Amino acid sequence: MQNHLEKSTKKVPHAVLMQRAIELAKRGQNTTTPNPNVGCVIVKDGQVIAEGFHQRAGQAHAEIEALNSAKKNGYSARGATLYVTLEPCSHVGKTPPCADALIAAGVAEVIIGSPDPNPQVSGQGVAKLRQAGITVSEGVLRRQCDELNRGFFKRMTTGIPWVTVKPETAGKVLCRDDQLGHRYCR
Ligand SMILES: [Zn+2]
């Protein structure tokens, strides 16, 4: 049984902060295509020092947004705990790998919702972080985190595109919906 004192001094549960990261991820809902929606919260000494979310494909990932925001707010992320809805990337895409940035920033602990759905890189971000001595917890609110990126995950695991962008629709995103067929999302 849990010790009473331990219970009363317990820090904010991981799920509460992950829920906040999920809310942030949702802000990118209509603009991140074909990238996933990702949210991130950085906590240090029991206080949220920064937040971030992925806003647009080709731009900074959520983790980088949050790290930059911490810096801007005058905080160091050294020794901090970072909550992120999706496993940090470990490969060079349009932007440098987030795992490297987290290591360089001196983050002590990383709490992850969903694993990377791409079978070629899944688990590599986590492995890289652990190799650098960072404590990693996975699968926190995984169902809700997975739900953020249903289409992206489907595409990554089956190779079937969920979202198609047609240049002639001038920035409009054509979404394929299982129930409704093709329609414009925005
Ligand atoms: Zn990344």
Side-chain angles (χ1 to χ4, degrees):
M1 214 177 91
Q2 203 171 19
N3 171 303
H4 180 71
L5 183 67
E6 207 173 35
K7 199 173 181 182
S8 65
T9 55
K10 210 176 154 198
K11 287 182 276 180
V12 177
H14 284 339
V16 172
L17 291 153
M18 187 60 82
Q19 187 58 49
R20 176 63 191 153
I22 290 170
E23 296 307 318
L24 290 163
K26 286 179 182 169
R27 293 195 194 171
Q29 231 158 22
N30 296 320
T31 51
T32 60
T33 311
N35 280 8
N37 297 308
V38 185
C40 180
V41 175
I42 303 178
V43 176
K44 193 172 174 181
D45 303 325
Q47 192 193 345
V48 173
I49 60 165
E51 296 178 333
F53 66 99
H54 185 44
Q55 301 187 18
R56 206 170 275 278
Q59 291 181 10
H61 290 179
E63 302 94 311
I64 307 303
E65 284 282 335
L67 286 175
N68 288 343
S69 161
K71 210 180 285 174
K72 218 169 91 188
N73 295 342
Y75 291 104
S76 161
R78 192 156 295 279
T81 300
L82 183 139
Y83 293 81
V84 62
T85 55
L86 180 66
E87 178 179 0
C89 62
S90 59
H91 57 284
V92 178
K94 282 181 181 149
T95 54
C98 291
D100 290 353
L102 300 185
I103 293 164
V107 168
E109 190 176 4
V110 175
I111 315 294
I112 299 167
S114 305
D116 193 307
N118 182 340
Q120 289 182 332
V121 295
S122 186
Q124 289 181 16
V126 168
K128 201 167 192 177
L129 296 172
R130 286 200 172 124
Q131 271 162 24
I134 295 175
T135 304
V136 181
S137 301
E138 300 169 79
V140 173
L141 296 190
R142 177 169 176 183
R143 195 177 53 79
Q144 291 94 316
C145 289
D146 283 355
E147 191 57 32
L148 281 171
N149 296 301
R150 215 157 41 98
F152 175 77
F153 283 16
K154 185 179 176 186
R155 187 159 50 87
M156 281 293 147
T157 51
T158 64
I160 302 166
W162 175 269
V163 175
T164 321
V165 181
K166 288 189 169 183
E168 68 269 25
T169 56
K172 281 191 176 172
V173 177
L174 190 63
C175 294
R176 197 171 66 201
D177 185 290
D178 280 344
Q179 272 80 44
L180 302 170
H182 285 84
R183 66 187 183 102
Y184 285 109
C185 298
R186 64 184 174 90

